[in-house]
Amino acid sequence: MQFASVRTKIIEEFRKRLYVIGIIIICMFAIFFLQLINLQIFQGREFSEKSRMNMENNIPLPASRGEIYDRNFSTDKQNIVLATNRPAFNIIVIPAQYKEKNQFYYAIKNICALLQLPYEEILTDLKSTNPYNRYIIQEDVPFDIVVTIATNQDKFPNIMWEDAPVRVYPFNNMFSHVIGYIGSLTKEEYNTYKDVGYKYYQKIGKAGIERQYDSILRGVDGYVRRIVDAKNRTEGEEIGQHPKSGYNIVLTLDYDVQKTAYTALGDNRGSVIVMKPATGEIISIVSKPDYDPNLIISKNNIKIITELNNDKNKPFLNRAIQSRYPPASTFKLVTSIAALEEEKWDPAITRYCPGKYTLKGYVDRDFYCYQAHGSVNLLWAIARSCSVYFYQLGLKLGPTTIFNYAGYLGLAETSGIDIPGEITGFIPSKKWKLKTFGQPWFDGDTVNLSIGQGFILVTPIGMMDFLSAIVNSGVVFKPHCIKEIRSIDNTSVVSVVIPEKLREIPLSPTTLNTIKQGMRMAVVNGTAARLGYLKVQMCGKTGTAQTRSKRQEDVSQHAWFVGFGPYDSHPEKVVAIVVMVEYGIAGAATAVPIAEQVFTTLIKKGYF
Amino acid sequence: MFKTIRSSFQEYDIKLLISIIALILIGIITIYATGFDPIEKVNSGLYKKQLLWFILGIICMFAISRVHYRILGDYSLYIYLVVLFFLILTTIFGAKIRNTRAWINFGFFAIQPSEFMKLATILLLSKYLELRQFDIKRLRELFIPFAIVGVPVLLIYMQPDFGTAMIFIPIFFALLFLGGADILQLISILGVATIALFVPMMLTYIEWSGINISGGFFSFLKGNELLYIISGSLLAVSIISFILYFFFNSKVYRAIYIPSFIISAGLFLSVIIQKFLKEYQKRRILVFLNPDLDPYGSGYNVIQSKIAIGSGGIIGKGFLKGSQSQLGFLPEKSTDFIFSVISEEWGFIGAVIVLLLFGYVLYKGFMIALKTQDKFGMLLAGGITCMIFFHVIINIGMALGIMPVTGLPLTFLSYGGSNLIMSLLSIGILISIDSRTR
């Protein structure tokens, strides 16, 4: 009996424990049921999408990027194309398509050997990207390589190719800064632009017009919907969406003028801007040193890009809008305007120039003029660029007035030109000097300021704006490089750029006439006399900026020329020019001949 | 003659048989689907082999159901030793398929002794636990069960077949539990095992996920010295408190020496496991916890499986229309991930039907164990039910992404002759127990 009860107890215990296991089984099944509901019902749509992404290896059909023409574009003749496309191929891979790592390594190793690429580097790069994304192994691959890959699929499993037209810039360096170039999206760019439809494998304008008008030029990519299995064998194909081409752009730039300016600048570092002040149309904009955009658009040319980036001469810098210099004697125009507008100075007042000016003070200090001009009035002082006259004029005005006028005339503001990356000039102030140098503003600083030396800095495009104000009676239009947007077949005009007023400076006609007269005299019988023979009546002002290093006096000078023509006609006809040459010998010697050549071409092309 | 057959059929639970045959047929249809190449339009023909195993298995099932299960119990040691012999042969001389020596080749077919080892181990353990049912609460009675399970686990681990070796452990604990082992002892053993596994996992995770641990506490842990020190000092604490308990018999000391001994032993074992488990095995468990850690490797399987199941939706994509399986994104689709294929092609409805069928089979096994009057029958029925249950939860759990990827077949459904025959033999034994209980 004792035995039997123990036995019953054991069986009872067994049954109790069996129930525990039964409860565990029920719990597990409940969990599975819930997870099934979760995966198949709640997340069903999401997983369907993922499953579709797995099997749909959509092949993008690249939209053809719009072409860029110069201002002489017309529909009934052969046009000058500044940027176009040529057919080529990309070799691509999607790492997630490989079932086995070894197969992936095998394919990458073979393709690297075929394309002569560094295997290790490609592998490291691949591992850092999303494995479900298309990875471009090499761009711009010739057709015979594609044939090799297509005929040896066993050696190159899951290696694919696609049409990928390559951007071509037929005039290489000539338009490099203004047109810019395109390139693959960087990770930062992708994160910024993915919401506006950019795909990680696409190209984006990196500089210049290509960047500014990327959304107009790029079009919309289409795609082929391709059903593939895990081994990337095709099961079916259909066009998902046809690509939509980008628009063509006609620039305001004139190829011939650009070519002249580009050639005239030669091997100098510097920039030339030619613009119509009446509308803000840029006819030419050149910066040197430059680069060949054709060489750097491809991912294959990282070496060349690195070299260019490390170049001490900074070829990527668009000196026309991204560099600032002391305006030197060209600033005398600002000082003059300030004096005339404030009515503190009669233009007829003469001052005697013995070749230097002595500023009286605790210690007397001499300020020199490049030659002894004798007795000059304001007009002659502008024409001959007499510094001694302006020293005294500046002292009379005081620094604050000059700062204010430089500000009114927009020298420290951006022009809003449609090339990205513009910087502003710099106008100092008394406060700024105290803060930066711990010294008050001295009269000596005012003397320097009045002839555009010292702390003040301007950009060439800023000078162009200032020049526009003189030509246009104070009205400044936003400089712009594009004239119109056309459909891809060029048959219709999609949009025409309407000049936009940037600012209107109230300047009295008398002041402007005096300034223009002074600038005209500089051409007739002054520093820019070399331009006197031109058919167009030119006005101008030279400048020779001394940079800080006084040791190399011959080379450490920047040459300026700002000018326009014709002198006495309606502003509609006027074309203005700013020439800036770094370390040019002197404004008259270096910058003026460049302006001369540009205007010769302008005359030839019938601008006046 | 006919009468005998009819009466013997009446002994069978027809609903159980129908459920099992339904599961196997679903499996064969799915294997047909996975063997189909949508591009080449050919079938690999695996389903024909599975059909053959199915017929063979049904014959074996009926055959074994005619044998009284107690006779199986009497011969359990010999059965165990014979299977163990084949297992040893396989582990040493077996054909190497995908880096694993799990199959032994008999010319026209190959068998996987590790599958049959599961059943043999359950038989022997049940027999042993029945014999020792009055003493089983003593800790030392657990040594022989440990040996019964430990030897095959070690051999299978050496093949190496991690998944199959792992499945013995929950079955073992379930049998000990049903056999009446002391719960505190079981919890202690599980505690030791948990600590022993957790420490190496954590270290691997820290190392792998690239957390900078140069210097300081973790690198000290990595060097094992700290583990030894903690383990040793806890051991000392436990011995002292045990002696105190021995003399004063106060529960306070018991509350100290048991947990400190568990932690001490766990840490000590963790050092051994750290050297014993291969790096990829440790990583695999970690990838289960976070599949995104390795989207190319073992994480790929789980991600693709979840995509397959999830994209099936409510009604599924239809027969032969599952893109995940048909286009080869899903790995091991006829074996480990067959449930994902079913869920993709037949959707939530299909998956629930499979779960319900399994539920019914388990329920029947459970009821058979409950109704049985002798201890051996109870343990055998309970053990077999648990074996099927653990296969189901580990395999389906893996497909659903809530269990680690271990490479275990889904009973009745997955392609594989040995597993199917072994499972049908188990059902035959269940039927034998059932028919003799009525």
Side-chain angles (χ1 to χ4, degrees):
Chain A
M1 206 54 215
Q2 176 80 29
F3 181 75
S5 77
V6 169
R7 203 184 173 81
T8 323
K9 223 179 122 189
I10 283 177
I11 286 177
E12 276 312 302
E13 194 186 352
F14 170 83
R15 288 194 173 144
K16 250 188 238 160
R17 290 187 175 194
L18 198 62
Y19 278 118
V20 172
I21 288 185
I23 289 165
I24 294 174
I25 294 178
I26 291 168
C27 289
M28 286 311 293
F29 270 71
I31 291 172
F32 284 2
F33 187 70
L34 291 176
Q35 173 75 340
L36 271 176
I37 290 176
N38 173 30
L39 290 181
Q40 296 192 300
I41 297 174
F42 292 139
Q43 296 187 55
R45 197 169 290 173
E46 200 178 303
F47 279 115
S48 291
E49 186 64 19
K50 281 186 178 168
S51 144
R52 202 176 57 74
M53 271 161 64
N54 254 347
M55 65 170 175
E56 276 184 14
N57 176 10
N58 287 347
I59 308 165
L61 292 173
S64 99
R65 197 177 171 87
E67 295 188 321
I68 301 175
Y69 306 100
D70 87 329
R71 71 181 288 130
N72 301 314
F73 175 84
S74 87
T75 44
D76 53 342
K77 67 169 170 89
Q78 190 74 27
N79 282 299
I80 293 169
V81 189
L82 306 181
T84 180
N85 312 297
R86 91 178 136 75
F89 297 92
N90 278 352
I91 302 297
I92 51 173
V93 68
I94 300 174
Q97 285 180 347
Y98 292 92
K99 258 175 98 181
E100 286 168 18
K101 271 186 180 174
N102 285 341
Q103 198 196 18
F104 169 63
Y105 293 142
Y106 174 77
I108 299 300
K109 199 162 211 158
N110 284 338
I111 195 73
C112 284
L114 181 72
L115 299 171
Q116 294 169 337
L117 296 171
Y119 171 63
E120 297 293 333
E121 276 173 42
I122 297 279
L123 207 61
T124 321
D125 200 26
L126 264 166
K127 280 177 179 170
S128 69
T129 57
N130 181 345
Y132 291 93
N133 280 356
R134 310 158 58 73
Y135 177 86
I136 298 170
I137 301 174
Q138 192 165 32
E139 292 174 337
D140 196 7
V141 169
F143 187 64
D144 56 313
I145 297 265
V146 172
V147 171
T148 312
I149 295 167
T151 49
N152 293 298
Q153 278 283 284
D154 54 322
K155 253 184 101 182
F156 306 106
N158 291 358
I159 301 282
M160 299 166 284
W161 59 91
E162 63 182 4
D163 283 330
V166 169
R167 197 74 166 156
V168 180
Y169 303 97
F171 300 105
N172 304 4
N173 301 32
M174 196 187 291
F175 290 90
S176 54
H177 289 104
V178 52
I179 289 182
Y181 55 96
I182 59 169
S184 303
L185 281 162
T186 60
K187 277 181 185 135
E188 297 78 41
E189 281 169 332
Y190 175 62
N191 287 331
T192 317
Y193 296 116
K194 64 181 172 192
D195 296 335
V196 286
Y198 283 83
K199 300 278 162 47
Y200 61 90
Y201 49 79
Q202 283 176 333
K203 301 269 180 176
I204 189 170
K206 296 277 185 178
I209 295 293
E210 293 273 31
R211 178 162 160 197
Q212 184 81 18
Y213 296 105
D214 195 61
S215 54
I216 290 165
L217 290 164
R218 65 196 284 254
V220 181
D221 282 2
Y223 61 89
V224 172
R225 185 178 289 139
R226 187 169 148 225
I227 309 294
V228 294
D229 69 355
K231 292 173 192 146
N232 198 27
R233 295 179 300 179
T234 305
E235 226 213 357
E237 265 186 15
E238 57 173 352
I239 296 259
Q241 192 188 323
H242 288 281
K244 199 166 161 286
S245 302
Y247 295 111
N248 291 341
I249 285 181
V250 179
L251 297 183
T252 55
L253 269 74
D254 188 317
Y255 167 74
D256 297 299
V257 181
Q258 180 85 357
K259 190 181 175 190
T260 309
Y262 181 81
T263 324
L265 204 49
D267 290 333
N268 290 312
R269 280 194 268 162
S271 54
V272 176
I273 306 171
V274 183
M275 192 179 99
K276 284 186 98 141
T279 53
E281 286 169 69
I282 301 273
I283 293 168
S284 167
I285 181 163
V286 178
S287 169
K288 282 205 172 187
D290 46 32
Y291 56 90
D292 184 352
N294 290 315
L295 291 180
I296 57 178
I297 49 171
S298 163
K299 210 178 158 188
N300 312 345
N301 289 336
I302 289 167
K303 229 176 111 184
I304 295 169
I305 298 166
T306 330
E307 260 172 40
L308 283 171
N309 267 324
N310 295 337
D311 191 331
K312 264 193 276 175
N313 290 326
K314 296 188 180 162
F316 281 118
L317 194 69
N318 186 350
R319 285 167 161 75
I321 62 169
Q322 292 176 318
S323 278
R324 47 194 190 192
Y325 312 91
S329 303
T330 59
F331 192 75
K332 286 171 185 166
L333 299 174
V334 179
T335 315
S336 310
I337 289 173
L340 294 169
E341 285 289 301
E342 289 290 302
E343 295 179 339
K344 279 189 179 172
W345 195 275
D346 186 342
I349 294 173
T350 58
R351 283 286 180 274
Y352 181 75
C353 168
K356 72 170 184 178
Y357 173 75
T358 308
L359 183 66
K360 300 269 191 291
Y362 184 68
V363 179
D364 286 358
R365 212 174 137 198
D366 288 345
F367 290 88
Y368 293 92
C369 197
Y370 68 102
Q371 71 178 79
H373 290 102
S375 193
V376 288
N377 63 10
L378 181 62
L379 291 180
W380 280 109
I382 294 173
R384 295 267 168 88
S385 201
C386 175
S387 299
V388 170
Y389 188 91
F390 282 98
Y391 294 149
Q392 294 167 64
L393 184 54
L395 283 170
K396 173 91 201 286
L397 286 170
T400 313
T401 313
I402 302 178
F403 297 151
N404 287 346
Y405 271 86
Y408 296 152
L409 294 164
L411 289 176
E413 280 168 45
T414 53
S415 67
I417 189 171
D418 51 356
I419 304 174
E422 186 190 1
I423 64 163
T424 65
F426 173 73
I427 301 169
S429 67
K430 287 181 174 178
K431 232 187 209 169
W432 171 83
K433 203 201 163 189
L434 192 63
K435 216 170 132 191
T436 316
F437 294 96
Q439 288 176 338
W441 188 270
F442 298 123
D443 279 349
D445 295 324
T446 311
V447 168
N448 269 331
L449 176 70
S450 59
I451 60 151
Q453 291 288 147
F455 307 113
I456 190 156
L457 298 169
V458 296
T459 60
I461 191 75
M463 282 312 280
M464 180 51 94
D465 262 8
F466 164 59
L467 211 51
S468 300
I470 297 174
V471 174
N472 247 356
S473 318
V475 179
V476 181
F477 285 95
K478 198 184 250 188
H480 57 88
C481 298
I482 84 163
K483 189 174 159 194
E484 59 193 21
I485 299 167
R486 300 190 86 99
S487 61
I488 191 73
D489 54 1
N490 287 327
T491 49
S492 59
V493 177
V494 177
S495 155
V496 178
V497 173
I498 299 157
E500 197 184 324
K501 209 185 272 180
L502 181 67
R503 66 175 80 89
E504 199 167 347
I505 309 157
L507 294 172
S508 82
T510 337
T511 306
L512 290 173
N513 281 336
T514 312
I515 299 294
K516 282 184 190 168
Q517 215 180 328
M519 289 173 80
R520 175 65 193 149
M521 277 164 73
V523 173
V524 175
N525 194 0
T527 49
R530 194 184 165 127
L531 302 175
Y533 77 94
L534 288 174
K535 268 189 216 158
V536 172
Q537 294 191 321
M538 294 286 298
C539 303
K541 181 77 197 80
T542 57
T544 308
Q546 279 148 14
T547 53
R548 300 244 152 203
S549 63
K550 285 190 174 164
R551 293 271 164 82
Q552 310 160 285
E553 258 172 49
D554 286 339
V555 289
S556 65
Q557 294 179 332
H558 296 321
W560 282 97
F561 176 76
V562 300
F564 60 89
Y567 163 59
D568 231 358
S569 82
H570 193 269
E572 288 282 314
K573 285 215 155 177
V574 175
V575 177
I577 185 167
V578 171
V579 180
M580 159 70 219
V581 183
E582 289 181 17
Y583 306 114
I585 293 161
T590 321
V592 175
I594 295 171
E596 179 192 355
Q597 290 185 48
V598 169
F599 268 82
T600 310
T601 307
L602 284 170
I603 293 164
K604 218 184 282 170
K605 291 276 292 185
Y607 274 84
F608 307 105
Chain B
M1 178 69 186
F2 278 111
K3 214 173 180 183
T4 344
I5 290 175
R6 194 182 297 159
S7 69
S8 68
F9 258 108
Q10 274 164 0
E11 288 168 22
Y12 297 134
D13 186 325
I14 292 297
K15 282 191 222 157
L16 176 66
L17 279 183
I18 289 172
S19 305
I20 285 159
I21 290 170
L23 280 171
I24 297 173
L25 288 177
I26 290 171
I28 289 172
I29 290 167
T30 314
I31 291 164
Y32 173 83
T34 59
F36 188 73
D37 188 325
I39 288 159
E40 310 285 340
K41 310 279 182 215
V42 289
N43 201 300
S44 64
L46 273 186
Y47 72 99
K48 289 181 198 156
K49 282 192 184 172
Q50 185 76 349
L51 208 56
L52 199 72
W53 296 124
F54 167 49
I55 294 162
L56 207 65
I58 290 289
I59 294 167
C60 290
M61 182 184 83
F62 282 115
I64 206 160
S65 70
R66 305 305 301 157
V67 180
H68 196 293
Y69 65 94
R70 290 213 64 88
I71 298 171
L72 290 173
D74 296 339
Y75 287 97
S76 61
L77 183 62
Y78 305 106
I79 295 170
Y80 178 86
L81 288 176
V82 169
V83 180
L84 191 65
F85 171 73
F86 281 108
L87 187 63
I88 294 169
L89 272 186
T90 314
T91 305
I92 301 171
F93 305 110
K96 203 160 190 171
I97 299 166
R98 274 185 287 176
N99 287 327
T100 304
R101 288 185 203 279
W103 283 269
I104 190 155
N105 213 329
F106 288 99
F108 56 97
F109 70 102
I111 64 161
Q112 201 179 348
S114 51
E115 288 294 341
F116 296 97
M117 199 69 228
K118 294 171 188 168
L119 194 52
T121 308
I122 291 171
L123 270 172
L124 185 59
L125 263 181
S126 303
K127 188 70 202 169
Y128 179 83
L129 291 170
E130 188 200 35
L131 285 174
R132 315 298 292 174
Q133 58 180 314
F134 303 110
D135 311 318
I136 197 67
K137 298 246 187 283
R138 289 187 200 153
L139 191 59
R140 62 161 178 265
E141 291 299 332
L142 297 181
F143 280 113
I144 289 176
F146 260 103
I148 293 172
V149 174
V151 172
V153 167
L154 213 61
L155 282 167
I156 296 166
Y157 182 79
M158 279 159 64
Q159 287 180 346
D161 184 351
F162 190 62
T164 311
M166 284 295 292
I167 194 74
F168 280 80
I169 293 163
I171 296 173
F172 171 62
F173 277 101
L175 268 174
L176 282 187
F177 178 68
L178 291 174
D182 188 56
I183 291 178
L184 187 64
Q185 287 169 14
L186 287 181
I187 290 173
S188 306
I189 294 167
L190 281 172
V192 170
T194 310
I195 294 168
L197 277 172
F198 178 73
V199 174
M201 286 306 143
M202 192 184 66
L203 290 176
T204 310
Y205 180 75
I206 288 167
E207 192 183 347
W208 194 22
S209 54
I211 300 165
N212 189 11
I213 50 153
S214 55
F217 180 71
F218 284 110
S219 60
F220 195 38
L221 259 186
K222 192 77 189 139
N224 293 334
E225 290 93 345
L226 186 71
L227 290 179
Y228 281 124
I229 292 167
I230 297 174
S231 170
S233 46
L234 281 171
L235 188 65
V237 169
S238 122
I239 290 168
I240 293 163
S241 51
F242 178 72
I243 294 166
L244 289 169
Y245 171 71
F246 192 76
F247 285 112
F248 302 107
N249 206 7
S250 162
K251 287 223 164 167
V252 180
Y253 299 114
R254 199 160 180 259
I256 296 173
Y257 86 80
I258 293 176
S260 57
F261 182 76
I262 291 169
I263 298 171
S264 164
L267 288 177
F268 182 72
L269 275 176
S270 76
V271 178
I272 297 170
I273 283 177
Q274 204 169 317
K275 288 173 183 164
F276 203 57
L277 269 185
K278 294 202 172 59
E279 201 59 31
Y280 82 90
Q281 288 163 338
K282 284 191 263 184
R283 288 189 173 196
R284 206 172 238 209
I285 297 173
L286 286 173
V287 170
F288 146 66
L289 296 169
N290 182 7
D292 294 333
L293 272 177
D294 188 10
Y296 284 114
S298 33
Y300 174 87
N301 300 0
V302 180
I303 292 167
Q304 295 301 336
S305 168
K306 282 169 88 171
I307 292 175
I309 295 171
S311 64
I314 295 171
I315 54 166
K317 296 177 184 169
F319 185 54
L320 296 181
K321 297 230 171 70
S323 60
Q324 282 291 105
S325 47
Q326 292 299 318
L327 297 175
F329 296 102
L330 193 66
E332 309 290 342
K333 50 192 178 179
S334 61
T335 54
D336 297 356
F337 286 101
I338 196 160
F339 184 76
S340 319
V341 181
I342 296 168
S343 305
E344 186 186 22
E345 295 200 340
W346 304 107
F348 182 68
I349 295 166
V352 168
I353 288 172
V354 168
L355 281 185
L356 286 177
L357 288 171
F358 271 121
Y360 186 75
V361 172
L362 292 173
Y363 166 75
K364 284 314 290 183
F366 182 81
M367 292 315 285
I368 290 167
L370 208 60
K371 280 181 192 155
T372 313
Q373 292 306 314
D374 75 315
K375 186 81 192 213
F376 175 67
M378 289 172 180
L379 286 170
L380 194 54
I384 287 169
T385 308
C386 286
M387 177 182 75
I388 297 170
F389 169 61
F390 288 128
H391 274 89
V392 171
I393 60 159
I394 292 177
N395 182 285
I396 297 182
M398 162 181 87
L400 288 171
I402 51 182
M403 288 268 167
V405 177
T406 46
L408 207 64
L410 182 55
T411 315
F412 306 126
L413 289 167
S414 286
Y415 173 75
S418 299
N419 183 264
L420 185 60
I421 289 175
M422 188 277 294
S423 306
L424 285 170
L425 280 174
S426 312
I427 296 298
I429 294 171
L430 273 185
I431 292 167
S432 169
I433 299 169
D434 188 30
S435 60
R436 275 149 194 95
T437 310
R438 291 183 178 187

